[in-house]
Each structure stands twice: as C-alpha cells, then as structure tokens.
Amino acid sequence: MSQNSAEFPQLKSVFPSVKMKIAVLGATGQTGQYLVNQALQQGHAVTAIVRNPGKLTVQHEKLKVVEGNIFSEDSLKLHFQGQDAVISCLGFPASFLSGVTGYTLSMRAAVNAMREAKVNRIITMTSWYTDPNSGTQSSYLIRFLLLPMIRSVLSNMFEMEHFLKKTQDVNWTVVRPPGLKNLPATGKEFLTHEGYFVPDSNGLPVGSAVGRGDVARFMLFLLNTDVWFNKAVAITTKNE
C-alpha cells in the first residue's frame, strides 16, 4: 500500500504480517461484514461481539460469534480476554431530537474493558469533517446539505476522537473515510493525511467516497504498523 509521496509520507508496514486474535465490534454492519471476511481470509482469529448473533451468517473455523453489550464494560471485558486487538466498525444513525451518544458511550466501555482485559490496541472509524470547522473547502452540496444532515453523528464522532486523544495507556487509531460505498475491497492505493480530510496540493479535498471493503482493508493493514499509533488518519483511494 502506498500513496503519492510528493504530497504525503509513504505508508509502510513496519511489522511482519502476523496472525492475530481480533475482537470486532459492529461485525453485522456493512463495513464490519467486509472486515470480518477479510480478517478470516488473512488467517486471523475473529471474535465478533454482536447484539444478535443470528444476523452474522458467515461460518468459519476461526470465527467465534458471541452476544455482547457494546455499552457494558463487564460484557466486553469477558470477550476481550486473550485478544491482541479490538477493531470497531460501529455506526449510529443521525438524531435531530436527542443527539447521538453511541460513539462516546461504546468507546468508553471498550477502553475500560481493554484495560481490565489487558488489551492494548484499538482501531476504530469515524468520518471526514468531524471537526465542525473542517468542511469549509468541501463542495456546496456537502457543506450546506449533507454535513448539516449528519452533524449529530459527526459531533459525537468528534467527541469520541477527543476522548481517545486523552487516553494515554492504549494504542489507538481513528480511521476517517469520506462517504462510504457498499463495495468490496480493491487493489487501489491509499491516500492518507493526518487531518479531517485528504487534501490535494491546493488544500482541496481529494475524492468523495470510498468502498467499505477498502476501509476494512486499511483498518486490517493497521494491525501491522505503528505509523498511525495514537493518531487520526483521513483516507481515500487513489484514482487509477
């Protein structure tokens, strides 16, 4: 995996590719299903912690599907025991009335459970433009139509990111993709940027959407590198 080295530092894996034990949150969601399947194909052992085990239909000798409460430290701690890493693909719908709290509440529970279970690595996903001031260079439709519609989601993502930034005893990475398409992984190169979107040489956003399968591919890649430890990275894929 690489990117335009004239604009951004090149991605490199600094660890040998090893098989890990991974606890996955949000495994029944669209991105989560891509991630579970890719992780199994790569030889990882996956524990999928889900609310409804019947919704995850894939079967594999290295897949364990368990029922758990993503908001309960005690429930998560039980299933985090013996894991090498936690990957969260959780998503929560926008709410105009009561606001969104799922991202912060689930992450607090997960981090506390990780401490109890002595798991030190978590990878999670949010979105471009979580900072309310970061979308000023986006297109008119995104800035004035889309972002206001999903601001309740972006605001809670932003709160979760700040919670992780204050967490000193866990190695975390936040992956920020742009719009998501329900497409499988490709072989496209990734463009990355430590910020709220991926800019071109003029500071304007590059790309508008990426396949969920590619987001899963990038999150699994992060298991084999420390480049993005304790950082939030915006991603997109390079057009061929």
PDB file of all heavy atoms in Angstrom, residues 26 34 38 46 64 67 77 91 95 104 130 133 135 151 155 157 166 176 178 182 207 214-215 218 228:
ATOM      1  N   GLY A  26     -19.397  -4.174  15.900  1.00  0.00           N
ATOM      2  CA  GLY A  26     -20.075  -3.741  14.686  1.00  0.00           C
ATOM      3  C   GLY A  26     -19.917  -4.736  13.544  1.00  0.00           C
ATOM      4  O   GLY A  26     -19.981  -4.364  12.372  1.00  0.00           O
ATOM      5  N   TYR A  34     -17.504  -6.812   5.834  1.00  0.00           N
ATOM      6  CA  TYR A  34     -16.324  -6.850   4.970  1.00  0.00           C
ATOM      7  C   TYR A  34     -15.072  -7.139   5.807  1.00  0.00           C
ATOM      8  O   TYR A  34     -14.204  -7.922   5.407  1.00  0.00           O
ATOM      9  CB  TYR A  34     -16.149  -5.527   4.237  1.00  0.00           C
ATOM     10  CG  TYR A  34     -17.045  -5.348   3.035  1.00  0.00           C
ATOM     11  CD1 TYR A  34     -18.001  -4.336   2.995  1.00  0.00           C
ATOM     12  CD2 TYR A  34     -16.923  -6.174   1.919  1.00  0.00           C
ATOM     13  CE1 TYR A  34     -18.820  -4.157   1.882  1.00  0.00           C
ATOM     14  CE2 TYR A  34     -17.737  -5.997   0.804  1.00  0.00           C
ATOM     15  CZ  TYR A  34     -18.688  -4.999   0.789  1.00  0.00           C
ATOM     16  OH  TYR A  34     -19.491  -4.829  -0.315  1.00  0.00           O
ATOM     17  N   GLN A  38     -12.524 -10.369   5.472  1.00  0.00           N
ATOM     18  CA  GLN A  38     -11.125 -10.158   5.104  1.00  0.00           C
ATOM     19  C   GLN A  38     -10.183 -10.660   6.188  1.00  0.00           C
ATOM     20  O   GLN A  38      -9.136 -11.243   5.897  1.00  0.00           O
ATOM     21  CB  GLN A  38     -10.876  -8.676   4.838  1.00  0.00           C
ATOM     22  CG  GLN A  38     -11.512  -8.154   3.568  1.00  0.00           C
ATOM     23  CD  GLN A  38     -11.211  -6.682   3.351  1.00  0.00           C
ATOM     24  OE1 GLN A  38     -10.106  -6.206   3.631  1.00  0.00           O
ATOM     25  NE2 GLN A  38     -12.182  -5.934   2.854  1.00  0.00           N
ATOM     26  N   VAL A  46     -11.095 -14.405  14.746  1.00  0.00           N
ATOM     27  CA  VAL A  46     -12.015 -13.292  14.962  1.00  0.00           C
ATOM     28  C   VAL A  46     -13.085 -13.662  15.987  1.00  0.00           C
ATOM     29  O   VAL A  46     -13.714 -14.716  15.874  1.00  0.00           O
ATOM     30  CB  VAL A  46     -12.709 -12.886  13.643  1.00  0.00           C
ATOM     31  CG1 VAL A  46     -13.740 -11.783  13.893  1.00  0.00           C
ATOM     32  CG2 VAL A  46     -11.678 -12.435  12.613  1.00  0.00           C
ATOM     33  N   LYS A  64     -15.589 -16.799  15.970  1.00  0.00           N
ATOM     34  CA  LYS A  64     -16.429 -17.029  17.144  1.00  0.00           C
ATOM     35  C   LYS A  64     -17.409 -15.871  17.239  1.00  0.00           C
ATOM     36  O   LYS A  64     -16.998 -14.710  17.289  1.00  0.00           O
ATOM     37  CB  LYS A  64     -15.569 -17.110  18.410  1.00  0.00           C
ATOM     38  CG  LYS A  64     -16.351 -17.363  19.691  1.00  0.00           C
ATOM     39  CD  LYS A  64     -15.404 -17.398  20.893  1.00  0.00           C
ATOM     40  CE  LYS A  64     -16.142 -17.645  22.199  1.00  0.00           C
ATOM     41  NZ  LYS A  64     -15.212 -17.615  23.367  1.00  0.00           N
ATOM     42  N   GLU A  67     -22.692 -13.023  21.859  1.00  0.00           N
ATOM     43  CA  GLU A  67     -23.625 -11.941  22.167  1.00  0.00           C
ATOM     44  C   GLU A  67     -23.022 -11.041  23.236  1.00  0.00           C
ATOM     45  O   GLU A  67     -22.506 -11.525  24.250  1.00  0.00           O
ATOM     46  CB  GLU A  67     -24.950 -12.513  22.645  1.00  0.00           C
ATOM     47  CG  GLU A  67     -26.028 -11.469  22.894  1.00  0.00           C
ATOM     48  CD  GLU A  67     -27.371 -12.087  23.252  1.00  0.00           C
ATOM     49  OE1 GLU A  67     -27.512 -13.316  23.118  1.00  0.00           O
ATOM     50  OE2 GLU A  67     -28.268 -11.332  23.670  1.00  0.00           O
ATOM     51  N   LYS A  77     -15.473  -6.910  28.589  1.00  0.00           N
ATOM     52  CA  LYS A  77     -14.274  -7.447  29.239  1.00  0.00           C
ATOM     53  C   LYS A  77     -14.204  -8.964  29.111  1.00  0.00           C
ATOM     54  O   LYS A  77     -13.133  -9.534  28.856  1.00  0.00           O
ATOM     55  CB  LYS A  77     -14.272  -7.039  30.721  1.00  0.00           C
ATOM     56  CG  LYS A  77     -13.113  -7.599  31.524  1.00  0.00           C
ATOM     57  CD  LYS A  77     -13.157  -7.079  32.952  1.00  0.00           C
ATOM     58  CE  LYS A  77     -14.395  -7.568  33.688  1.00  0.00           C
ATOM     59  NZ  LYS A  77     -14.411  -7.138  35.115  1.00  0.00           N
ATOM     60  N   GLY A  91     -21.478   1.964  13.940  1.00  0.00           N
ATOM     61  CA  GLY A  91     -22.075   3.167  13.398  1.00  0.00           C
ATOM     62  C   GLY A  91     -23.425   3.409  14.036  1.00  0.00           C
ATOM     63  O   GLY A  91     -24.116   2.461  14.426  1.00  0.00           O
ATOM     64  N   SER A  95     -29.589  11.743  14.724  1.00  0.00           N
ATOM     65  CA  SER A  95     -30.764  12.039  15.541  1.00  0.00           C
ATOM     66  C   SER A  95     -30.863  13.544  15.723  1.00  0.00           C
ATOM     67  O   SER A  95     -29.936  14.175  16.223  1.00  0.00           O
ATOM     68  CB  SER A  95     -30.662  11.346  16.910  1.00  0.00           C
ATOM     69  OG  SER A  95     -31.708  11.752  17.750  1.00  0.00           O
ATOM     70  N   THR A 104     -19.366   7.763  21.807  1.00  0.00           N
ATOM     71  CA  THR A 104     -18.630   8.002  23.045  1.00  0.00           C
ATOM     72  C   THR A 104     -18.930   6.942  24.094  1.00  0.00           C
ATOM     73  O   THR A 104     -18.017   6.450  24.777  1.00  0.00           O
ATOM     74  CB  THR A 104     -18.977   9.393  23.606  1.00  0.00           C
ATOM     75  OG1 THR A 104     -20.394   9.590  23.559  1.00  0.00           O
ATOM     76  CG2 THR A 104     -18.289  10.482  22.814  1.00  0.00           C
ATOM     77  N   THR A 130     -15.248  15.605  10.892  1.00  0.00           N
ATOM     78  CA  THR A 130     -15.826  15.544  12.234  1.00  0.00           C
ATOM     79  C   THR A 130     -15.695  16.881  12.960  1.00  0.00           C
ATOM     80  O   THR A 130     -16.583  17.258  13.718  1.00  0.00           O
ATOM     81  CB  THR A 130     -15.173  14.423  13.071  1.00  0.00           C
ATOM     82  OG1 THR A 130     -13.744  14.566  13.012  1.00  0.00           O
ATOM     83  CG2 THR A 130     -15.584  13.056  12.547  1.00  0.00           C
ATOM     84  N   ASN A 133     -15.463  22.817  11.872  1.00  0.00           N
ATOM     85  CA  ASN A 133     -14.846  23.865  11.058  1.00  0.00           C
ATOM     86  C   ASN A 133     -14.016  23.312   9.899  1.00  0.00           C
ATOM     87  O   ASN A 133     -13.343  24.078   9.200  1.00  0.00           O
ATOM     88  CB  ASN A 133     -13.941  24.740  11.937  1.00  0.00           C
ATOM     89  CG  ASN A 133     -14.718  25.443  13.034  1.00  0.00           C
ATOM     90  OD1 ASN A 133     -15.775  26.011  12.777  1.00  0.00           O
ATOM     91  ND2 ASN A 133     -14.200  25.400  14.250  1.00  0.00           N
ATOM     92  N   GLY A 135     -15.021  21.554   7.151  1.00  0.00           N
ATOM     93  CA  GLY A 135     -15.660  21.341   5.860  1.00  0.00           C
ATOM     94  C   GLY A 135     -15.747  22.566   4.977  1.00  0.00           C
ATOM     95  O   GLY A 135     -16.467  22.543   3.976  1.00  0.00           O
ATOM     96  N   ARG A 151     -24.735  16.179  11.120  1.00  0.00           N
ATOM     97  CA  ARG A 151     -23.907  16.830  12.131  1.00  0.00           C
ATOM     98  C   ARG A 151     -24.020  16.176  13.497  1.00  0.00           C
ATOM     99  O   ARG A 151     -23.047  16.113  14.249  1.00  0.00           O
ATOM    100  CB  ARG A 151     -24.277  18.321  12.211  1.00  0.00           C
ATOM    101  CG  ARG A 151     -23.483  19.130  13.254  1.00  0.00           C
ATOM    102  CD  ARG A 151     -21.993  18.924  13.180  1.00  0.00           C
ATOM    103  NE  ARG A 151     -21.393  19.289  11.911  1.00  0.00           N
ATOM    104  CZ  ARG A 151     -20.135  18.998  11.590  1.00  0.00           C
ATOM    105  NH1 ARG A 151     -19.372  18.319  12.435  1.00  0.00           N
ATOM    106  NH2 ARG A 151     -19.654  19.346  10.400  1.00  0.00           N
ATOM    107  N   SER A 155     -20.674  15.136  15.314  1.00  0.00           N
ATOM    108  CA  SER A 155     -20.349  15.748  16.610  1.00  0.00           C
ATOM    109  C   SER A 155     -19.982  14.694  17.643  1.00  0.00           C
ATOM    110  O   SER A 155     -19.026  14.875  18.402  1.00  0.00           O
ATOM    111  CB  SER A 155     -21.532  16.586  17.107  1.00  0.00           C
ATOM    112  OG  SER A 155     -21.749  17.705  16.277  1.00  0.00           O
ATOM    113  N   MET A 157     -18.894  11.640  16.944  1.00  0.00           N
ATOM    114  CA  MET A 157     -17.608  11.099  16.498  1.00  0.00           C
ATOM    115  C   MET A 157     -16.461  11.983  16.978  1.00  0.00           C
ATOM    116  O   MET A 157     -15.422  11.491  17.450  1.00  0.00           O
ATOM    117  CB  MET A 157     -17.566  11.013  14.971  1.00  0.00           C
ATOM    118  CG  MET A 157     -18.430   9.935  14.354  1.00  0.00           C
ATOM    119  SD  MET A 157     -18.332  10.047  12.532  1.00  0.00           S
ATOM    120  CE  MET A 157     -19.116   8.500  12.058  1.00  0.00           C
ATOM    121  N   LYS A 166      -7.120  11.816  24.719  1.00  0.00           N
ATOM    122  CA  LYS A 166      -6.757  11.965  26.132  1.00  0.00           C
ATOM    123  C   LYS A 166      -6.428  10.626  26.784  1.00  0.00           C
ATOM    124  O   LYS A 166      -6.091  10.586  27.961  1.00  0.00           O
ATOM    125  CB  LYS A 166      -7.906  12.641  26.879  1.00  0.00           C
ATOM    126  CG  LYS A 166      -8.152  14.082  26.454  1.00  0.00           C
ATOM    127  CD  LYS A 166      -9.206  14.762  27.317  1.00  0.00           C
ATOM    128  CE  LYS A 166     -10.588  14.175  27.071  1.00  0.00           C
ATOM    129  NZ  LYS A 166     -11.655  14.910  27.817  1.00  0.00           N
ATOM    130  N   ARG A 176     -10.518   7.863   9.309  1.00  0.00           N
ATOM    131  CA  ARG A 176     -11.551   8.784   8.831  1.00  0.00           C
ATOM    132  C   ARG A 176     -11.740   8.625   7.322  1.00  0.00           C
ATOM    133  O   ARG A 176     -10.993   9.221   6.540  1.00  0.00           O
ATOM    134  CB  ARG A 176     -11.161  10.232   9.140  1.00  0.00           C
ATOM    135  CG  ARG A 176     -11.088  10.590  10.620  1.00  0.00           C
ATOM    136  CD  ARG A 176     -10.609  12.026  10.779  1.00  0.00           C
ATOM    137  NE  ARG A 176     -10.622  12.459  12.174  1.00  0.00           N
ATOM    138  CZ  ARG A 176      -9.690  13.251  12.712  1.00  0.00           C
ATOM    139  NH1 ARG A 176      -8.686  13.676  11.962  1.00  0.00           N
ATOM    140  NH2 ARG A 176      -9.768  13.611  13.978  1.00  0.00           N
ATOM    141  N   PRO A 178     -14.078   9.153   3.744  1.00  0.00           N
ATOM    142  CA  PRO A 178     -15.112  10.079   3.258  1.00  0.00           C
ATOM    143  C   PRO A 178     -16.441   9.326   3.149  1.00  0.00           C
ATOM    144  O   PRO A 178     -16.692   8.403   3.920  1.00  0.00           O
ATOM    145  CB  PRO A 178     -14.571  10.494   1.886  1.00  0.00           C
ATOM    146  CG  PRO A 178     -13.793   9.306   1.429  1.00  0.00           C
ATOM    147  CD  PRO A 178     -13.219   8.678   2.681  1.00  0.00           C
ATOM    148  N   ASN A 182     -21.053   0.804  -0.685  1.00  0.00           N
ATOM    149  CA  ASN A 182     -21.120  -0.605  -0.305  1.00  0.00           C
ATOM    150  C   ASN A 182     -20.477  -1.468  -1.395  1.00  0.00           C
ATOM    151  O   ASN A 182     -21.142  -2.213  -2.113  1.00  0.00           O
ATOM    152  CB  ASN A 182     -22.572  -1.033  -0.050  1.00  0.00           C
ATOM    153  CG  ASN A 182     -22.642  -2.351   0.702  1.00  0.00           C
ATOM    154  OD1 ASN A 182     -21.733  -2.692   1.453  1.00  0.00           O
ATOM    155  ND2 ASN A 182     -23.713  -3.090   0.505  1.00  0.00           N
ATOM    156  N   GLY A 207     -11.295  13.310  -3.738  1.00  0.00           N
ATOM    157  CA  GLY A 207     -12.241  12.202  -3.687  1.00  0.00           C
ATOM    158  C   GLY A 207     -13.441  12.523  -2.819  1.00  0.00           C
ATOM    159  O   GLY A 207     -13.444  13.474  -2.033  1.00  0.00           O
ATOM    160  N   ASP A 214     -12.635  -1.371   1.126  1.00  0.00           N
ATOM    161  CA  ASP A 214     -11.316  -0.742   1.209  1.00  0.00           C
ATOM    162  C   ASP A 214     -11.070  -0.148   2.594  1.00  0.00           C
ATOM    163  O   ASP A 214      -9.934  -0.151   3.083  1.00  0.00           O
ATOM    164  CB  ASP A 214     -11.167   0.323   0.127  1.00  0.00           C
ATOM    165  CG  ASP A 214     -10.807  -0.270  -1.227  1.00  0.00           C
ATOM    166  OD1 ASP A 214     -10.107  -1.303  -1.258  1.00  0.00           O
ATOM    167  OD2 ASP A 214     -11.234   0.293  -2.253  1.00  0.00           O
ATOM    168  N   VAL A 215     -12.110   0.389   3.227  1.00  0.00           N
ATOM    169  CA  VAL A 215     -11.944   0.870   4.607  1.00  0.00           C
ATOM    170  C   VAL A 215     -11.540  -0.292   5.509  1.00  0.00           C
ATOM    171  O   VAL A 215     -10.623  -0.182   6.327  1.00  0.00           O
ATOM    172  CB  VAL A 215     -13.243   1.525   5.117  1.00  0.00           C
ATOM    173  CG1 VAL A 215     -13.087   1.940   6.589  1.00  0.00           C
ATOM    174  CG2 VAL A 215     -13.599   2.735   4.271  1.00  0.00           C
ATOM    175  N   PHE A 218      -7.905  -1.186   4.934  1.00  0.00           N
ATOM    176  CA  PHE A 218      -6.971  -0.270   5.587  1.00  0.00           C
ATOM    177  C   PHE A 218      -6.913  -0.523   7.090  1.00  0.00           C
ATOM    178  O   PHE A 218      -5.840  -0.501   7.702  1.00  0.00           O
ATOM    179  CB  PHE A 218      -7.381   1.183   5.314  1.00  0.00           C
ATOM    180  CG  PHE A 218      -6.380   2.185   5.815  1.00  0.00           C
ATOM    181  CD1 PHE A 218      -5.273   2.522   5.054  1.00  0.00           C
ATOM    182  CD2 PHE A 218      -6.539   2.800   7.052  1.00  0.00           C
ATOM    183  CE1 PHE A 218      -4.336   3.441   5.513  1.00  0.00           C
ATOM    184  CE2 PHE A 218      -5.614   3.720   7.517  1.00  0.00           C
ATOM    185  CZ  PHE A 218      -4.506   4.042   6.738  1.00  0.00           C
ATOM    186  N   TRP A 228       0.510   4.925  12.604  1.00  0.00           N
ATOM    187  CA  TRP A 228      -0.620   5.749  12.998  1.00  0.00           C
ATOM    188  C   TRP A 228      -1.033   5.515  14.447  1.00  0.00           C
ATOM    189  O   TRP A 228      -2.174   5.756  14.804  1.00  0.00           O
ATOM    190  CB  TRP A 228      -1.794   5.519  12.048  1.00  0.00           C
ATOM    191  CG  TRP A 228      -1.488   5.881  10.630  1.00  0.00           C
ATOM    192  CD1 TRP A 228      -1.259   5.031   9.587  1.00  0.00           C
ATOM    193  CD2 TRP A 228      -1.342   7.193  10.093  1.00  0.00           C
ATOM    194  NE1 TRP A 228      -0.987   5.729   8.445  1.00  0.00           N
ATOM    195  CE2 TRP A 228      -1.040   7.059   8.721  1.00  0.00           C
ATOM    196  CE3 TRP A 228      -1.441   8.477  10.646  1.00  0.00           C
ATOM    197  CZ2 TRP A 228      -0.830   8.159   7.892  1.00  0.00           C
ATOM    198  CZ3 TRP A 228      -1.247   9.561   9.812  1.00  0.00           C
ATOM    199  CH2 TRP A 228      -0.936   9.409   8.456  1.00  0.00           C
TER     200      TRP A 228
END
